[in-house]
Amino acid sequence: MALRAVKRRRIHEDIVAQIRRHVVDGRLQPGDRLPSERVLSVRFRVSRPSVREAIRTLESMGLVQILSGDGTYVASNLDVVLSAWRSATPQKKDALRDAFEARKIIEPEIAALAASRATGSEISRMEAVLVRQARQVASGHTGMESDTAFHSLLARSTKNQLLLKLNESIVDGLRETRERSLHAPGRPARSLAGHRTILDAIRARNPGRARRAMLRHLQEIQRNIVRVRPARTRRAAGAGGVRTKQAA
């Protein structure tokens, strides 16, 4: 059994972890100013060089911006916003609502662009993914990985890197919720049928049809998730009144 020596955790790494957690939890918002090095060193009970090293690490991670002569601020960039949203999604009802509002704006347009821009080889890969999903569903599985792969291939076929990044962040943040939804009776087969309808429109090079098919697909997913969440929450409460992450 190959083992490696355990490395001692350095002070600045703990500072980084705490500040990052505050950003992800929303207690520190993009644009918020961090306390000064002196104040942080007092609060953390560490030396100022340790605080300085932590701030530099946070800056290299893109989580903060250091403005000379002004101070250190939580970065106002897309990665910070998406990181905070992904962390909140399984627990917060508002985060789930935000996710589906965003998906219903973004993904129908992705499907429409795919109908115009997808190459023949990209469409062939989508077809192969749906064949794999059909086998998984027929054997009693959810087909979750193929489901995710199909949506990813659609986004890639737009040739728009920003749309790809937004789509992957949202879909990844909903992974736990989507997987739970796919365990509902008949849901994997309906998801596959929705994907086939979308792909038919893309093959036909019909952006309008692809857009409508994706919107219907997302609306069905949302309705299913709304049905699944309360039932699981009630069961968790009945088991002892403690709401768990799984029931969220």
Side-chain angles (χ1 to χ4, degrees):
M1 181 170 57
L3 298 174
R4 292 179 296 176
V6 176
K7 295 182 180 178
R8 181 179 298 172
R9 187 178 182 87
R10 289 181 288 183
I11 292 172
H12 85 278
E13 292 174 339
D14 190 41
I15 298 171
V16 168
Q18 289 193 53
I19 292 177
R20 183 182 182 281
R21 188 160 56 246
H22 276 64
V23 172
V24 168
D25 290 346
R27 285 173 283 180
L28 280 173
Q29 296 286 326
D32 284 353
R33 183 176 179 175
L34 295 185
S36 67
E37 281 185 9
R38 182 183 61 79
V39 172
L40 287 174
S41 68
V42 171
R43 293 186 183 178
F44 285 119
R45 298 182 184 179
V46 299
S47 68
R48 290 180 67 171
S50 292
V51 171
R52 194 171 302 122
E53 188 174 4
I55 296 299
R56 286 173 180 161
T57 300
L58 289 164
E59 183 185 32
S60 70
M61 294 167 65
L63 288 176
V64 303
Q65 293 175 307
I66 301 173
L67 302 182
S68 181
D70 188 10
T72 302
Y73 293 82
V74 177
S76 300
N77 62 42
L78 183 61
D79 285 333
V80 173
V81 174
L82 290 174
S83 178
W85 174 81
R86 282 194 298 269
S87 176
T89 299
Q91 291 83 24
K92 295 185 179 179
K93 181 180 178 181
D94 287 349
L96 193 60
R97 179 207 63 203
D98 290 351
F100 274 98
E101 285 181 354
R103 288 190 78 182
K104 286 187 288 186
I105 292 170
I106 294 170
E107 291 197 62
E109 295 309 313
I110 285 177
L113 285 173
S116 299
R117 299 180 181 176
T119 64
S121 62
E122 286 171 333
I123 291 175
S124 294
R125 285 197 290 274
M126 293 177 202
E127 292 169 343
V129 164
L130 294 194
V131 169
R132 188 163 68 247
Q133 185 180 5
R135 286 199 298 265
Q136 291 167 347
V137 171
S139 62
H141 298 291
T142 63
M144 174 71 177
E145 295 306 322
S146 297
D147 187 298
T148 301
F150 179 72
H151 285 268
S152 179
L153 284 170
L154 283 176
R156 289 181 185 281
S157 71
T158 67
K159 318 300 189 294
N160 185 313
Q161 292 303 306
L162 184 55
L163 281 176
L164 175 62
K165 183 177 182 65
L166 286 168
N167 182 69
E168 288 185 343
S169 293
I170 294 172
V171 171
D172 183 60
L174 288 170
R175 173 171 287 274
E176 182 181 332
T177 303
R178 291 171 58 240
E179 187 165 12
R180 209 159 49 232
S181 167
L182 284 168
H183 278 92
R187 176 61 202 148
R190 290 195 299 274
S191 179
L192 175 61
H195 290 168
R196 284 172 169 163
T197 302
I198 294 164
L199 184 54
D200 285 344
I202 291 170
R203 281 199 204 96
R205 301 296 183 182
N206 190 322
R209 211 170 96 199
R211 183 184 292 113
R212 291 189 296 272
M214 177 61 81
L215 181 58
R216 286 194 300 271
H217 179 60
L218 295 173
Q219 287 169 336
E220 183 179 349
I221 294 171
Q222 186 174 15
R223 284 194 298 270
N224 188 69
I225 286 175
V226 168
R227 285 196 299 268
V228 170
R229 283 170 60 86
R232 295 187 67 88
T233 301
R234 285 195 298 270
R235 286 199 297 272
V242 178
R243 184 173 179 173
T244 65
K245 180 178 179 181
Q246 182 66 20

